[in-house]
Every structure is written in structure tokens, then in C-alpha cells.
Amino acid sequence: MTTVRTRFAPSPTGFLHVGGARTALFSYLFARKHGGQFILRIEDTDLERSTPESVNAILEGMTWLGLDYDEGPFYQTQRFERYQAVIDELFDKGLAYRCNCPKERLDKLRERQMAAKVKPRYDGHCRGKSIDPSEPHVIRFSNPVEGMVVVDDRVRGRVAFNNGELDDLIIRRSDGSPTYNLTVVVDDAEMGITDVIRGDDHLGNTARQINILNAWGKEPPRYAHLPMILGEDGSRLSKRHGAVSVIAFRDQGYLPEALLNYLVRLGWSHGDQEMFSVDDMIELFDIGAVNKAAASFDYAKLAWLNQHYIQHGDTKRIAHLLSPHLGHLDIDPSAGPDLTAVVEAQAPRAKTLAELAEISTFIYRDFDDYDPAAAKKHLRPVAREPLVRMRAALELLALEDWQPELLHHQVDQVAAELELAMGKVAQPLRVAVVGRAASPGIDVTLHLVGKEATLRRIDRALAFIDARAAQA
RNA sequence: GCUCCCUUCGUCUAGCGGUUAGGACGCUGGCCUCUCACGUCGGUAACAGGGGUUCGAAUCCCCUAGGGAGCGCCA
């Protein structure tokens, strides 16, 4: 039995988007599941549009997702001699031919075909003509004229194409460079790719590629064409739907395991299971169980998964990943409490790391203004007494006693002394210290804010209440 | 226009001839509770339409409708 070898073959004309990431993931999983190899190949034969920046962006995305490859990255631009050799071979065997049809003829042909309501395709005009290699020309593959090509696809099943529908595609441009369908075929064959997993926009190409493979005398790999990922409105996923670059997800505070988990469930499932670690995926993934229909990207569900992983992931690691997001808010995490304590306290209320950072700013610096609704509701004259009492009680607390348990006790005490419900004391205190009505438990909140800032902010709240009373 | 493909709650999906059509996200009601969350219990909501085949169809076949992809000297 031959070893399974899959590849991910992006063209470096932009960042790594989630559709590509899912294709890469499925290829990766298939290889890992079968104990095979996963290969990365950069298809940069389009010199006009390929950029080194894009290559870096793709590599960065793969690394962030943890989709490690066993071989590569290979660059097609470094394999031009191989492609030329195969083109020559096909030409010498009469399986390809020179064509010098001018653009005008091709345009007219196409026009006529459209008018006749037939599929536009090259008519094989130059087949059998002997064209001098010194004059400008391209080389076309002689596609079989009769018969059918059958793609035995792992997700689509058997898909048949009539050879009459396929035309003689160009395999070498007039500038001498090879084209996509040729390079893919050569690389997949020579890199020993056993299973090609790619987007279903390639289904049509597959028929052509199988024909080239057959002519060249190579065994075609097995194919699996994945359905597309659509935006929330059902149209092709694009930037206008939201983030599509995996790096953008990272920068917005998504965890790679959350994105991977979300992606694996797009078109694939294992019973009712929703949570999958990468190890789970490798164990359970089944390419044959992939759906045929396109799926819409649901940002809300991704957010739910992300929250789950923020909440249940290793606290130290989450803290580490949170750090740069605090930095973006001009916060120096080392100037505050232990970051893991912040993560533990806030994780249940953040869907992204960016959000986690945002709702934690009060821990590091005084807030600018009170949330109007919160201030109106809780910083009223009735709150004055509880706040004064709290301040007095807290001031007596030694720095080393500034711990959640003792802080909780203080709030309890004041509430009991004033015969007030816990909330009547805790809420004004919370708004005073946080600036808004939502935060972790009041004990944890006070602990994270620290004694000095807590007392300062209570004073500020008292002044606020007095000023408001004077105004009324 | 032509070729190929797809169609179960709003979304991701389970289902593979007999189910009260299940789960998850979202939305929503209760509980928990110092707030917001988390958690937990419940609710809402789907087989695109029409013909067959069959004792019996979400499941098999055909047609219609809707959607998608491809038809480059792009990949």
C-alpha cells in the first residue's frame, strides 16, 4: 500500500483566507489520519500577480493554525525546467501542438459560439498544422475528441464529462511559461501526491487534468472536491461579509483552535459532536463524510467556539495571547495584577481576546466617564452611605489582606450593618470602581483593581454623587 | 447561453425506507445570582415544489424551481 500524500497548493496572490484554510485543514487531516505526508506547494506561475508578501502571509497563516507540513514549501517558479521537459515530451509524442491563432480569430470564434448557444471553446484549428517554432505560438494539449472522462470523486461521487465539452487547452504560453493545468499535473505526479483535496471550483479542471495525465502515461490521484464557503447572505464569502483572512481572525483575538474547530464543522460532522481538538479531528475525520452542499460562514457560531476555548484553554497560554491585545489599548500588562488572574476572572464574558482586553481596562487605569445608565441608576444619594461605609472598611484592610475572601466579607458586613441587600452595596461600589454595571464578582473586581485605586475611585464616586445632588 | 454540481430549522448539521425528523449556534422563557456573563432546565423553528416506485418515503427515480461553480496565454 502506498503512503498517502496530500498537498495544499495556494497561489500567492493574497492572504490565506478561511476557504483556503479549510482546504488545507482537510488535506492535513487526511494525511495525518492515514499516517501520510502533507505537502505545501506555492503555485506562483503567475508572475504578474504573485508576490513575496502573499507567500509570507500564507506561511504565517499556516504556522498560526499549526498546520505543519512535512515537505515544502515548493515553488513552481523553481520547477520550470521540469514543466518544459514534460511539454516537450507531450509535443514530441504528438499529444500537444503549436497554435498561432491570432486573438482576433479566437474572439470571433467565441462570439459565433455564443450566438449559436454552444459552449465557447477552441476548435482545434491548428491541430495537424506544422507551425515554425520561431514564430510566436502557444502549445495546446490535444484533448481527446471522443469519449468521456470520469472523475471518481470522494465527496461528489462519479462525475462524468463528455470530452466534446473540453477543448485543447493551452499548456505553454507564448512567452514560454507553463500554465496551471500543466504544472499541477506535473507536480502532483512527480511529488507523488495520492490524494488531491481542493475546492470544487476545480471540478472542471480535474477532467482536463485527468486527460493530460492519461496522455502522459501517469496514474491520476484520487480526488476530493470540497464545497465552497459562502457568506452569511449565501453569496461567495468575501471581505464585505467580515474577516476572511486567517490573520485577521488572529488579530481580532480568535484562537487558532477555535477557528480550526469551526472550520472542520463546515461541511463535515461526526454525529452530534461539536467540539474537536486537532487530535480528535485526526482520529475521526472522514473525507467521505464531507457534505456536497456549500456552507455559509456563521460568525456567531465561531464566536461561541472561541469563547469556549478562551474559557477552557490553558490559562497561562490565554494570558500570553491576551498580552498584545492589552498592548493595543496602551496597557502594560506587567503594571497590573497577574494576567492569569485577569483571564480567570474575565474569560466567561469575552468572545474574543480583543474583547477580553477591552472589558479589562478598568483593572489597569481609571476609566474616563461613567456609563450614563449605570451612573444614573446606582450613583444616587442613597448609595452615599454604603459607599462611605465601604471606604472606611476597606481602608482598614491591610494590603496583604486585599484578597477576594476578605473583600467579600467586608461587603457582606456593610450590607448587614445597613440592613441592605448585597446588591444595594455591591452595585454602587461596582459602578464606582469599574465605571459600568458589569464586571466579575465584586470581591474579585476589588482585588484586581487594588486598594489604592479602589479608594481613589470611591472618593470620585462620592464627589460625583454630591455634585449631582447639588445640581438637582 | 452551454457543461457540471447542490437543495433538512435563520445558520452549521444528524438522518442513509418505518423517528414525536435529533443535536449545535442564534433568538427566547425559567433557574442560579452582588451586576454582566458563565452554567443549567425549557421553548421557537426545517425535509424547496410536483410527480412517481413502495404496504410505507427526508431517505430511491423523474420533472420543475431556486442556488452555485466552470467555460482565460488566472490559479
Side-chain angles (χ1 to χ4, degrees):
Chain A
M1 202 183 130
T2 56
T3 312
V4 165
R5 286 168 66 84
T6 64
R7 50 44 162 203
F8 176 52
S11 62
T13 54
F15 44 72
L16 176 62
H17 60 88
V18 290
R22 188 187 56 158
T23 301
L25 172 63
F26 283 19
S27 299
Y28 169 88
L29 293 176
F30 187 82
R32 290 283 173 271
K33 182 180 179 68
H34 295 96
Q37 287 109 40
F38 174 57
I39 292 149
L40 179 62
R41 184 172 74 221
I42 304 296
E43 310 220 319
D44 54 355
T45 53
D46 185 344
L47 282 359
E48 292 292 309
R49 299 194 301 162
S50 298
T51 66
E53 292 73 32
S54 295
V55 172
N56 288 335
I58 290 166
L59 262 27
E60 191 181 359
M62 295 289 285
T63 301
W64 181 67
L65 288 172
L67 299 177
D68 45 297
Y69 32 93
D70 304 291
E71 291 175 29
F74 295 113
Y75 294 87
Q76 293 194 317
T77 43
Q78 291 172 9
R79 291 176 42 79
F80 270 33
E81 329 74 62
R82 275 308 303 152
Y83 308 135
Q84 297 305 346
V86 175
I87 291 168
D88 288 343
E89 184 183 337
L90 291 172
F91 180 84
D92 292 342
K93 287 179 177 167
L95 299 165
Y97 60 92
R98 298 193 185 103
C99 166
N100 63 354
C101 288
K103 190 172 183 304
E104 302 76 61
R105 193 188 101 76
L106 265 19
D107 288 345
K108 260 182 69 181
L109 175 68
R110 182 190 175 76
E111 232 170 81
R112 233 184 299 131
Q113 289 167 328
M114 288 292 262
K117 297 182 192 297
V118 297
K119 186 174 177 174
R121 57 189 195 275
Y122 183 65
D123 59 357
H125 181 257
C126 290
R127 269 199 193 211
K129 277 170 62 172
S130 71
I131 289 157
D132 193 295
S134 66
E135 72 174 285
H137 68 276
V138 298
I139 291 188
R140 289 181 185 272
F141 171 68
S142 287
N143 196 76
V145 182
E146 300 190 329
M148 312 205 79
V149 205
V150 174
V151 182
D152 187 14
D153 194 271
R154 281 201 153 98
V155 347
R156 301 330 262 250
R158 290 171 67 85
V159 183
F161 292 87
N162 205 317
N163 272 325
E165 295 295 331
L166 277 23
D167 61 359
D168 294 344
L169 72 168
I170 291 170
I171 55 176
R172 179 156 76 195
R173 302 186 182 93
S174 47
D175 67 0
S177 63
T179 59
Y180 169 75
N181 280 296
L182 188 278
T183 59
V184 169
V185 156
V186 173
D187 285 344
D188 285 342
E190 300 193 341
M191 292 177 185
I193 303 302
T194 58
D195 296 85
V196 170
I197 297 171
R198 57 180 19 162
D200 70 5
D201 47 333
H202 284 289
L203 198 52
N205 285 324
T206 300
R208 300 169 181 281
Q209 291 170 16
I210 288 175
N211 280 336
I212 296 176
L213 248 1
N214 286 153
W216 187 27
K218 303 284 182 184
E219 180 82 8
R222 284 296 304 271
Y223 294 94
H225 288 90
L226 273 23
M228 309 213 49
I229 296 180
L230 310 175
E232 280 171 322
D233 58 357
S235 69
R236 192 172 187 149
L237 186 66
S238 67
K239 308 107 247 151
R240 85 191 143 78
H241 294 106
V244 289
S245 153
V246 307
I247 293 305
F249 282 101
R250 179 196 66 187
D251 293 345
Q252 287 178 20
Y254 287 88
L255 264 22
E257 60 267 41
L259 187 56
L260 251 15
N261 195 151
Y262 179 71
L263 254 19
V264 85
R265 284 285 288 102
L266 229 42
W268 178 76
S269 61
H270 178 71
D272 287 340
Q273 188 171 342
E274 293 289 349
M275 300 296 177
F276 295 89
S277 67
V278 172
D279 285 342
D280 291 337
M281 295 179 200
I282 292 171
E283 183 190 340
L284 303 170
F285 185 69
D286 175 10
I287 191 76
V290 172
N291 262 324
K292 296 183 179 78
S296 290
F297 198 95
D298 183 359
Y299 290 88
K301 187 162 183 180
L302 202 216
W304 169 72
L305 279 165
N306 202 50
Q307 177 167 45
H308 171 87
Y309 284 106
I310 287 176
Q311 208 173 158
H312 300 283
D314 177 71
T315 311
K316 277 203 164 100
R317 174 170 164 263
I318 304 297
H320 178 70
L321 296 173
L322 172 64
S323 207
H325 288 92
L326 287 167
H328 290 148
L329 297 171
D330 291 320
I331 287 170
D332 174 7
S334 66
D338 193 313
L339 253 193
T340 59
V342 175
V343 171
E344 273 168 21
Q346 296 280 224
R349 72 209 97 226
K351 291 191 182 302
T352 65
L353 295 176
E355 194 182 337
L356 182 38
E358 201 281 322
I359 61 173
S360 299
T361 54
F362 74 89
I363 295 168
Y364 300 90
R365 64 176 172 230
D366 291 352
F367 48 87
D368 292 335
D369 297 298
Y370 292 107
D371 171 73
K376 186 176 181 194
K377 185 171 179 187
H378 299 291
L379 298 185
R380 296 188 295 165
V382 288
R384 197 169 204 298
E385 184 63 12
L387 285 176
V388 169
R389 296 266 196 143
M390 278 309 311
R391 195 198 189 290
L394 293 173
E395 190 167 22
L396 294 175
L397 213 55
L399 231 41
E400 62 267 30
D401 289 336
W402 198 263
Q403 298 300 328
E405 310 76 56
L406 286 169
L407 289 163
H408 193 272
H409 180 69
Q410 297 301 320
V411 180
D412 260 346
Q413 280 293 116
V414 170
E417 283 168 20
L418 296 175
E419 293 184 317
L420 287 173
M422 177 82 159
K424 296 291 183 194
V425 179
Q427 276 308 86
L429 186 53
R430 170 172 284 111
V431 177
V433 170
V434 180
R436 46 192 176 193
S439 84
I442 193 64
D443 45 3
V444 173
T445 297
L446 295 179
H447 173 246
L448 290 173
V449 169
K451 183 175 180 181
E452 190 203 351
T454 295
L455 297 181
R456 181 173 67 240
R457 292 181 198 175
I458 291 176
D459 288 339
R460 177 183 173 184
L462 289 170
F464 179 85
I465 292 171
D466 291 343
R468 220 174 103 182
Q471 227 173 35

